[in-house]
Amino acid sequence: MAQKIRSGEDVLRTVASPGQPVGLPKEGEDNVLITSALPYCNNVPHLGNIIGSLLSADVYSRYSRTRNRKTLYVCGTDEYGTATETQALKEHLTPKELCDKYHVLHKETYSWFDIGFDYFGRTSTPQHTEICQEIFLNLGRNSLLEKLEKEQTYCEGCVKFLADRFVEGICPHCGYEDARGDQCDGCSRTLDAIELIQPRCLIDKTHKVTTKISVHMYLKLDVIQPRTEEWIKQSWKAGKWSPNAVINHEGEIIDARLKGGLLPTPLTRDLSWGVPVPIEGEDVHGMKGKVLYVWFDAPIGYPSITANLTPEWKQWWFNPKDVKLYQFMGKDNVYFHTIYFPSVQIADGRDWTKLHHLSTTEYLNYEGGKFSKSKNRGVFGPAAKETGIPSSVWRYYLLSTRPETADAMFSWADCVAANNNVLLNNFGNFVNRALKFVSSQYGGVIPDGGDVPGDYTDAMDAVKLRLGLQTVMLVSMRGNNYLQSSGLNKQLMTENPTRCAQVISRAINLIYVLSVLIYPFMPATSESILNQLNAPARAVPLSLSNDILAGHHIGTPEHLFKKIEEKMIDVWRTKFGGNEAQRELANTDPLKAAPGAKKGKKGAKDVTQIPSGPKSEEALALEAKVTEQGNVVRELKAQTPKTSELEEQIKAAVDTLKKLKADLETELRKHRN
């Protein structure tokens, strides 16, 4: 099929897509370096983790490429520290085996979500060790390290010092019996391991735990603070950081640690899994056998991962004149990226590429609560794929609810509505209607026949991603309205062919623009549009023009999105609602105690003899409703005092539950006979 596309850098995209060789920054050009907070390698990510840093960074990376800016996006798994060691103990693996396992899982998850890194690495590499040790030695040479002695928990059975997470005991504040050495889950207070009452070793709880003096190296943050504050004020203003940072809109520092005065911070730990503390000459500091603190080595993962991609990594990381660094993270990581790591860079003494723009998010919660892996509550890792919802729809919904200034809530009902009401009825309808008209009425050939809203580029350049996405949907809505007001149909083509050709040409060129505007958010959708247009990937235009010319042959039109049945909302609520939701469903299974069922031992509940088999969508939906109604009954019964009005409510709720159980039994029997 012939292509008639206007050429030129103002039309076509010329920068490499994610994962393709990106090259090195060039002097005098826009060079963008992007990182997202390194995910811990001791668990699987949930939707909040994904939108909080990785997906947001991916969107800006793709947007930057649509502006033909040289762009590098790196990330990887954060693999050292006590969290990894303790999880490895629980899973009966070595820390290395654990990290190998979860690194693959993380990588596969992000790949399914179409998160396009130029390189996704890990911190357990020789390059990482080399760069970390070089920085540590530079801090010492610049007289910014000091040796301090501190009392620390010690296991006499293991014959070694215990890091905070390797100690459990009774909380001195609330009496909670299983408090960790760093925090009490009972009262949420931060702890020092030596505060615990009756401390016990996580490795062997029969061992005696005492305290001994341990020597560690500390970074003199108090000495560096004036230079750090000066840099913060300059970078905050130039890079327009997110509002939930360390400084307010008036340029006043609001971080409590800065206001109270920074204290020396430990850079070493008594662990075996980590970057070994480098020793120059004799072990004069008593550092032999210790490792670098994970929060010292983790941010160094950004340059070390880049070093695994290219030996010329310093052209990105020691080039503040030509490279702008954009960093994406949740609000809990702000301190380490705006104060801690920049202080390390300043203390190192070399001309580092430091943070230019900080983009942070608040928390994404799940259906009225929090994501919880231990309670099996929420969507984790590859589970999103199991729903059958395409990754593009997941990306759209998560980005449309991105918690930019306040915590947001994931909702299955909102997710389904986003697909059916926005993507299907708005965006998809416009694209499909125009392309099908060209295909059916013009034989797939474009006939001879204003500005892209500046709000889009303004929002995206300011990293206001949710606003940028809203603008894209506004453009597609206006396209729908344009076709509607123009009366595009076969009659218009017959009675006024010139006008009809003009309408369809404008619509097709607007769709071509939409293909690039939506690309950062939904790359697979963008690719589908380009295939249907039979057009190459383009750059973001400064104004609308006829870039797809008369005589161009389009591809085959097809629907971009499919409707999601609303009954699936309850199905997914039950499936991802956690252990409690599953137990409730089991306890209210209508096929237990069914008529004619056999009795189990010792008065166990009756179990039906209905043959097993796959459940219909209707049955799954009814199961979810049974669970939900069971929760209603339980909550009503728990209320006091028991008034007559409450008793009536309980009776009505129980009757509703019985009917739902009966409906479910009928549905299951129908499909299992």
Side-chain angles (χ1 to χ4, degrees):
M1 292 186 289
Q3 281 190 350
K4 290 192 176 183
I5 308 291
R6 192 167 66 84
S7 61
E9 286 194 4
D10 59 330
V11 177
L12 301 182
R13 192 183 312 159
T14 60
V15 171
S17 298
Q20 298 179 359
V22 70
L24 298 174
K26 292 186 177 180
E27 186 177 358
E29 295 187 6
D30 289 330
N31 303 287
V32 179
L33 176 58
I34 299 172
T35 75
S36 49
L38 306 183
Y40 280 127
C41 202
N42 65 338
N43 55 27
V44 292
H46 58 66
L47 298 180
N49 303 138
I50 290 170
I51 185 59
S53 58
L54 297 116
L55 179 54
S56 297
D58 178 64
V59 170
Y60 191 75
S61 164
R62 292 178 184 275
Y63 168 71
S64 183
R65 297 169 206 268
T66 67
R67 299 297 302 272
N68 284 329
R69 298 167 181 162
K70 188 172 288 293
T71 304
L72 178 66
Y73 174 27
V74 295
C75 188
T77 42
D78 178 10
E79 304 196 352
Y80 289 133
T82 55
T84 300
E85 285 202 39
T86 53
Q87 186 63 28
L89 280 174
K90 292 176 182 177
E91 298 194 24
H92 306 290
L93 299 171
T94 67
K96 178 66 166 58
E97 289 171 340
L98 183 88
C99 291
D100 288 345
K101 168 187 172 180
Y102 282 108
H103 176 79
V104 171
L105 192 150
H106 275 259
K107 196 170 183 179
E108 290 176 347
T109 299
Y110 305 141
S111 176
W112 185 81
F113 273 96
D114 277 335
I115 297 175
F117 311 102
D118 288 292
Y119 187 71
F120 185 77
R122 52 200 306 184
T123 58
S124 58
T125 65
Q127 290 93 332
H128 183 72
T129 295
E130 179 183 339
I131 295 171
C132 287
Q133 291 180 338
E134 182 180 13
I135 293 173
F136 182 85
L137 292 174
N138 284 342
L139 301 181
R141 292 168 188 147
N142 294 335
S143 301
L144 290 170
L145 293 181
E146 63 178 326
K147 179 177 70 173
L148 295 175
E149 295 182 345
K150 183 181 178 182
E151 197 173 24
Q152 186 174 329
T153 48
Y154 183 86
C155 179
E156 295 184 354
C158 297
V159 194
K160 68 177 184 180
F161 287 99
L162 298 176
D164 47 23
R165 290 203 180 189
F166 279 88
V167 188
E168 294 179 340
I170 300 172
C171 175
H173 303 289
C174 71
Y176 182 68
E177 294 187 355
D178 295 317
R180 300 193 314 267
D182 60 341
Q183 183 177 337
C184 174
D185 289 336
C187 63
S188 299
R189 291 201 190 189
T190 301
L191 299 175
D192 189 311
I194 64 173
E195 297 179 82
L196 292 174
I197 301 170
Q198 298 178 12
R200 55 188 181 270
C201 174
L202 187 65
I203 300 170
D204 189 332
K205 297 180 180 180
T206 65
H207 288 170
K208 183 179 180 181
V209 175
T210 59
T211 59
K212 283 189 177 183
I213 297 297
S214 182
V215 179
H216 287 284
M217 298 303 297
Y218 284 68
L219 176 63
K220 299 177 182 178
L221 284 180
D222 51 335
V223 175
I224 307 166
Q225 179 168 349
R227 285 181 285 167
T228 301
E229 286 192 23
E230 181 182 358
W231 168 80
I232 287 174
K233 291 178 180 179
Q234 292 175 351
S235 182
W236 164 81
K237 187 174 182 180
K240 299 178 181 178
W241 294 2
S242 291
N244 50 355
V246 297
I247 203 164
N248 63 20
H249 293 291
E250 287 73 38
E252 298 172 337
I253 289 176
I254 57 175
D255 184 87
R257 283 161 286 200
L258 275 179
K259 292 177 71 175
L262 296 178
L263 301 173
T265 185
L267 297 188
T268 59
R269 301 296 295 275
D270 289 302
L271 290 171
S272 58
W273 178 244
V275 175
V277 176
I279 306 297
E280 286 189 319
E282 297 182 4
D283 186 19
V284 295
H285 298 305
M287 292 295 108
K288 188 175 181 180
K290 299 180 189 290
V291 300
L292 297 177
Y293 179 40
V294 66
W295 265 116
F296 173 73
D297 91 80
I300 300 173
Y302 303 126
S304 79
I305 288 169
T306 310
N308 278 271
L309 172 65
T310 171
E312 303 297 326
W313 64 275
K314 290 184 178 180
Q315 293 196 39
W316 284 100
W317 282 99
F318 291 97
N319 191 358
K321 177 175 173 290
D322 294 315
V323 176
K324 288 183 177 178
L325 173 60
Y326 288 72
Q327 297 195 285
F328 292 77
M329 69 206 68
K331 62 182 177 182
D332 52 332
N333 281 327
V334 169
Y335 167 79
F336 295 100
H337 290 78
T338 59
I339 299 174
Y340 186 96
F341 185 54
S343 295
V344 171
Q345 291 177 306
I346 292 169
D348 174 81
R350 290 176 287 178
D351 195 16
W352 281 90
T353 301
K354 300 186 190 71
L355 172 67
H356 169 68
H357 178 83
L358 173 77
S359 180
T360 65
T361 58
E362 303 291 316
Y363 295 135
L364 177 69
N365 295 314
Y366 179 84
E367 289 267 325
K370 293 182 178 180
F371 288 85
S372 173
K373 186 62 181 174
S374 62
K375 296 179 181 178
N376 197 29
R377 191 171 191 278
V379 182
F380 285 79
K385 184 178 179 179
E386 298 172 8
T387 64
I389 300 175
S391 61
S392 285
V393 176
W394 277 111
R395 286 176 64 107
Y396 171 76
Y397 174 67
L398 290 174
L399 289 161
S400 68
T401 57
R402 184 174 184 252
E404 294 180 349
T405 57
D407 289 355
M409 187 68 66
F410 174 89
S411 160
W412 285 109
D414 291 346
C415 180
V416 171
N419 178 83
N420 294 348
N421 300 339
V422 181
L423 294 180
L424 183 63
N425 294 342
N426 174 10
F427 192 95
N429 179 68
F430 170 57
V431 173
N432 188 252
R433 181 181 178 186
L435 288 173
K436 283 188 69 175
F437 194 87
V438 173
S439 180
S440 63
Q441 303 303 317
Y442 290 98
V445 180
I446 303 299
D448 188 9
D451 288 346
V452 172
D455 289 347
Y456 174 78
T457 52
D458 288 346
M460 296 300 286
D461 283 339
V463 200
K464 296 180 179 179
L465 306 184
R466 198 172 62 195
L467 178 58
L469 182 56
Q470 291 171 353
T471 304
V472 177
M473 293 303 152
L474 180 61
V475 172
S476 68
M477 184 178 70
R478 289 176 176 172
N480 266 315
N481 292 341
Y482 174 66
L483 294 186
Q484 194 68 24
S485 62
S486 300
L488 179 67
N489 54 30
K490 191 172 182 179
Q491 182 179 356
L492 178 66
M493 183 178 176
T494 302
E495 297 178 354
N496 194 342
T498 301
R499 172 59 177 162
C500 189
Q502 182 186 61
V503 169
I504 204 64
S505 177
R506 288 178 176 174
I508 293 300
N509 276 281
L510 181 58
I511 291 172
Y512 194 27
V513 170
L514 281 171
S515 75
V516 66
L517 300 188
I518 201 63
Y519 169 75
F521 306 98
M522 305 167 71
T525 300
S526 173
E527 183 179 356
S528 179
I529 294 172
L530 291 175
N531 288 336
Q532 294 181 51
L533 287 173
N534 183 33
R538 65 162 304 146
V540 174
L542 298 179
S543 61
L544 278 178
S545 59
N546 280 344
D547 299 322
I548 295 183
L549 307 177
H552 173 79
H553 284 258
I554 67 169
T556 303
E558 55 186 38
H559 291 288
L560 293 174
F561 310 102
K562 295 180 180 179
K563 183 179 180 180
I564 299 175
E565 296 298 329
E566 291 191 3
K567 62 186 176 184
M568 295 305 297
I569 295 172
D570 290 330
V571 174
W572 290 324
R573 275 182 178 154
T574 298
K575 180 175 182 179
F576 297 102
N579 300 333
E580 184 176 339
Q582 297 298 327
R583 283 195 300 269
E584 180 64 30
L585 178 61
N587 291 336
T588 56
D589 189 342
L591 296 186
K592 293 177 180 177
K598 294 182 179 180
K599 279 278 186 181
K601 294 182 179 180
K602 295 182 180 180
K605 292 185 178 179
D606 297 334
V607 180
T608 183
Q609 299 302 304
I610 294 176
S612 62
K615 297 177 182 178
S616 65
E617 288 188 357
E618 289 77 7
L620 291 171
L622 283 167
E623 282 184 346
K625 290 180 179 179
V626 166
T627 299
E628 186 176 354
Q629 187 63 22
N631 290 334
V632 172
V633 171
R634 186 172 60 252
E635 290 173 2
L636 286 172
K637 287 184 176 181
Q639 292 182 23
T640 55
K642 290 289 191 297
T643 63
S644 58
E645 183 180 355
L646 178 59
E647 293 292 351
E648 290 179 5
Q649 291 177 351
I650 293 174
K651 183 179 182 304
V654 169
D655 290 342
T656 301
L657 179 60
K658 288 179 179 178
K659 184 179 186 308
L660 287 170
K661 287 181 178 181
D663 291 344
L664 176 55
E665 180 181 345
T666 301
E667 181 65 27
L668 289 173
R669 289 183 181 279
K670 180 172 66 177
H671 287 274
R672 292 184 184 180
N673 289 332

